[in-house]
């Protein structure tokens, strides 16, 4: 079933994002390899064998040996996934660039068989908070204004709520933080470019930034977020989401009032009335 087209303006410029990803360098894709580790760790804790997996990713070669039998598809706005064809869908390091993240999750849901597992890894709201703060303050001081430079990324609780909106059962959201160190702001910017994670916002500035903005941002960054060795510290937050396609075999919460024993008995104490 085709998703209805949205009339909402696109937050991200997809052609620009594709161009940025095309110039990514393999040695800079450490976040994607960290995502592989997170996924493998979580799959090792699931007592189920998956025989028809699919992986949604912008970098297919990173994942081709993780699950060799998996169908690997690009993170297009309409995913090339067949309804009810998969017992596992992994959405890898792309949801933070989605113009319609709920739509992406709904499409994954439709691709899953009953009791199929969705596993998402994406960047979260704490990512590059140091850079966001330094550039924002510097631009206000130098130009008197503020332009969109770093994509807004969802918080852990918000992403957990998206799983429920998309119809998943037993949703779980958790986070892992990675810290990288850089010589200076230029080093960080070059690394982001090599990752294919540079600014792809539709509302980004289309002209060059004044050098004074970056010079001041370097000062602010070094003053507020230094490492003990005098380098710059940068945070990357990986958010991991898991949810299951609903099935009658899954555990369900008890109805209110259906408990067979009192809490006071379990705690070995006496039950009393609440005072007025």
């Amino acid at each position: 079933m085709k998703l209805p087209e949205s009339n909402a303006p696109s937050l991200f410029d997809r052609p620009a994002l594709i161009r940025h990803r095309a110039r990514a360098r393999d040695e800079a894709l450490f976040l994607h390899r960290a995502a592989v580790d997170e996924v493998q760790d979580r799959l090792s804790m699931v007592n189920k064998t998956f025989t028809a997996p699919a992986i949604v990713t912008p970098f297919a070669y990173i994942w081709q040996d993780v699950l060799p039998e998996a169908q690997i598809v690009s993170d297009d706005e309409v995913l090339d996934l067949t309804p009810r064809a998969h017992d596992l869908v992994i959405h890898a390091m792309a949801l933070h660039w989605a113009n319609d993240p709920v739509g992406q999750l709904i499409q994954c849901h439709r691709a899953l068989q009953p009791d199929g597992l969705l596993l998402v890894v994406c960047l979260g709201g704490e990512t590059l908070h140091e850079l966001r703060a330094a550039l924002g303050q510097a631009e206000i001081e130098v130009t008197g204004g503020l332009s969109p430079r770093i994509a807004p990324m969802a918080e852990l609780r918000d992403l957990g709520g998206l799983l429920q909106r998309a119809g998943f059962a037993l949703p779980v959201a958790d986070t892992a933080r990675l810290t990288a160190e850089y010589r200076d702001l230029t080093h960080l910017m070059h690394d982001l470019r090599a990752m294919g994670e540079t600014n792809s916002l539709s509302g980004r500035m289309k002209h060059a930034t004044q050098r004074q903005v970056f010079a001041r941002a370097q000062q602010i960054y070094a003053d507020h977020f230094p490492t003990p060795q005098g380098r710059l510290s940068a945070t990357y937050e990986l958010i991991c989401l898991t949810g299951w396609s609903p099935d009658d075999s899954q555990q369900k919460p008890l109805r209110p009032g259906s408990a067979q024993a009192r809490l006071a008995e379990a705690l070995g104490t006496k039950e009393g009335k609440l005072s007025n």
Side-chain angles (χ1 to χ4, degrees), residues 33 35 39 56 62-63 67 90 97 117 131 138 154 156 166 179 194 200 204 211 215-216 224 235 245-246 248 263 265:
R33 292 187 168 86
V39 166
V56 179
I62 297 285
W63 292 87
L67 295 171
I90 299 169
W97 286 119
L117 175 65
L131 179 62
L156 180 68
T179 301
S200 296
R204 69 191 184 281
R211 290 184 178 181
R216 180 62 183 133
H224 291 86
T235 299
S245 181
D248 290 340
L263 179 60
E265 294 174 359

Side-chain angles (χ1 to χ4, degrees), residues 252-265:
K252 294 177 176 59
L254 294 174
R255 297 189 309 275
S258 62
Q260 300 299 311
R262 294 183 180 275
L263 179 60
E265 294 174 359

Side-chain angles (χ1 to χ4, degrees), residues 155-255:
E155 302 295 333
L156 180 68
R157 183 174 62 178
D158 298 330
L159 286 170
L162 294 187
L163 284 175
Q164 293 179 310
R165 288 179 57 189
F168 285 96
L170 310 173
V172 175
D174 61 89
T175 184
R177 287 179 175 83
L178 305 177
T179 301
E181 297 182 4
Y182 296 94
R183 293 187 303 273
D184 51 31
L185 197 59
T186 300
H187 184 199
L188 171 54
M189 297 290 194
H190 285 172
D191 207 29
L192 292 176
R193 180 184 177 93
M195 293 180 198
E197 297 283 346
T198 45
N199 191 353
S200 296
L201 288 165
S202 295
R204 69 191 184 281
M205 288 195 314
K206 302 300 193 296
H207 57 81
T209 299
Q210 297 180 39
R211 290 184 178 181
Q212 298 95 313
V213 172
F214 290 124
R216 180 62 183 133
Q218 168 67 34
Q219 294 174 344
I220 295 169
Y221 207 134
D223 288 343
H224 291 86
F225 307 107
T227 70
Q229 294 75 30
R231 294 164 68 90
L232 303 184
S233 175
T235 299
Y236 297 98
E237 182 184 29
L238 294 182
I239 288 182
C240 304
L241 309 174
T242 57
W244 293 84
S245 181
D247 185 70
D248 290 340
S249 65
Q250 293 166 352
Q251 293 182 339
K252 294 177 176 59
L254 294 174
R255 297 189 309 275

